[in-house]
């Protein structure tokens, strides 16, 4: 189903970013870093707790969990559901939070196998995996990842930027460019120009999509992302 045929996804009168994840999943683990960086430009998190993906399923990625956390923003609502823990129970994992009936139907519409992470930005962009490979953050400590974010050329910083830049552009489109302090940034606007080429597939790398569409009049092309910032 085309995203253009769907009503906007909202919560509390604001565009909703919906996330369904599993604490043991390394793809969810790496994607949370980008989500936190992107969403922190629009609001404030509280009660984020450290978490790591299942150490028996390499790469083990140090991350956070959204279970028990809250998020406040005047621009966007964030609705996370951590479905499974990182604690094994038989051949699976201990269940944590349940999807509502509406959420379950919503996920099934786009992702019948139920892959995680599942991310939907206001019914405009939907993704079923991480933007970047989890191996890029594997084996690094929380401190190593966080401290590297101030070193723009480092692999961890590039990895998180690859997620956060795309998500920021998607959120800005959903909020109609609010706040301007975030959405008027030239880099954000360049990513926004490429997003329509992705036909509602969120979380990807618009620079790759743009290479095959240079003849379209979208204004300046986004800067070519480094390998660590996007799937190749």
């Amino acid at each position: 189903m085309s995203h253009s045929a769907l009503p906007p996804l909202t919560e509390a009168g604001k565009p909703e970013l919906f996330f369904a994840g599993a604490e043991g999943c390394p793809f969810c683990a790496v994607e949370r870093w980008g989500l936190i960086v992107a969403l922190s430009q629009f609001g404030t998190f509280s009660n984020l707790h450290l978490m790591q993906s299942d150490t028996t399923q390499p790469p083990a990625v140090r991350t956070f969990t959204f279970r028990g956390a809250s998020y406040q923003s005047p621009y966007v609502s964030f609705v996370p559901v951590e479905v499974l823990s990182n604690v094994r129970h038989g051949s699976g994992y201990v269940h944590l939070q349940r999807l509502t009936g509406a959420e379950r139907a919503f996920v099934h519409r786009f992702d019948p196998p139920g892959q995680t992470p599942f991310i939907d930005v206001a019914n405009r962009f939907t993704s079923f995996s991480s933007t970047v490979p989890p191996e890029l953050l594997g084996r690094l400590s929380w401190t190593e990842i966080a401290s590297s974010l101030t070193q723009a050329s480092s692999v961890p910083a590039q990895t998180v930027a690859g997620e956060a830049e795309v998500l920021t552009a998607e959120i800005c489109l959903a909020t109609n460019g609010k706040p301007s302090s975030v959405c008027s940034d030239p880099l954000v606007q360049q990513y926004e120009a490429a997003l329509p080429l992705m036909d509602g597939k969120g979380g990807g790398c618009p620079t790759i999509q743009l290479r095959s569409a240079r003849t379209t009049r979208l204004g300046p092309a986004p800067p070519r992302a480094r390998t660590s910032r996007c799937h190749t």
Side-chain angles (χ1 to χ4, degrees):
M1 180 181 293
S2 170
H3 281 64
S4 62
L6 297 171
L9 183 66
T10 62
E11 169 68 21
K14 295 173 287 188
E16 177 185 330
L17 193 161
F18 174 76
F19 169 88
E23 292 180 345
C25 161
F27 296 92
C28 302
V30 68
E31 193 69 11
R32 288 192 199 93
W33 283 96
L35 275 166
I36 290 168
V37 170
L39 284 167
S40 292
Q41 299 174 96
F42 299 86
T44 305
F45 281 98
S46 57
N47 295 321
L48 279 171
H49 296 287
L50 299 178
M51 179 60 57
Q52 68 178 10
S53 63
D54 184 0
T55 57
T56 68
Q57 296 290 324
V61 178
R62 276 70 180 186
T63 184
F64 300 86
T65 178
F66 293 129
R67 181 168 57 110
S70 59
Y71 177 75
Q72 298 293 325
S73 168
Y75 309 105
V76 61
S77 294
F78 179 49
V79 180
V81 182
E82 299 285 11
V83 180
L84 301 171
S85 76
N86 62 353
V87 178
R88 284 195 168 274
H89 179 69
S91 60
Y93 295 91
V94 174
H95 283 267
L96 289 179
Q97 299 174 309
R98 293 187 178 277
L99 296 169
T100 67
E103 289 169 345
R104 190 177 300 107
F106 175 67
V107 171
H108 184 75
R109 172 188 293 165
F110 294 107
D111 180 28
Q115 302 176 78
T116 56
F118 175 92
I119 300 172
D120 184 279
V121 180
N123 257 352
R124 299 189 64 171
F125 303 98
T126 306
S127 60
F128 318 124
S129 188
S130 60
T131 308
V132 295
E135 289 82 3
L136 295 170
L137 296 186
R139 298 182 299 279
L140 296 174
S141 70
W142 292 276
T143 301
E144 288 172 328
I145 297 172
S147 62
S148 72
L149 298 184
T150 61
Q151 305 166 26
S153 62
S154 69
V155 170
Q158 289 283 305
T159 299
V160 175
E163 301 168 325
E165 289 167 0
V166 176
L167 286 163
T168 299
E170 292 174 357
I171 296 169
C172 282
L173 284 175
T175 63
N176 293 317
K178 299 177 183 178
S180 60
S181 58
V182 174
C183 299
S184 63
D185 182 273
L187 182 61
V188 174
Q189 293 187 341
Q190 289 171 21
Y191 271 95
E192 283 187 36
L195 287 173
L197 299 174
M198 300 180 71
D199 192 28
K201 297 177 182 178
C205 178
T207 57
I208 292 175
Q209 299 290 330
L210 193 61
R211 291 173 197 161
S212 61
R214 292 293 183 185
T215 58
T216 60
R217 297 183 178 181
L218 295 175
R224 181 168 299 189
R226 296 169 183 251
T227 303
S228 62
R229 290 170 83 149
C230 301
H231 286 305
T232 57

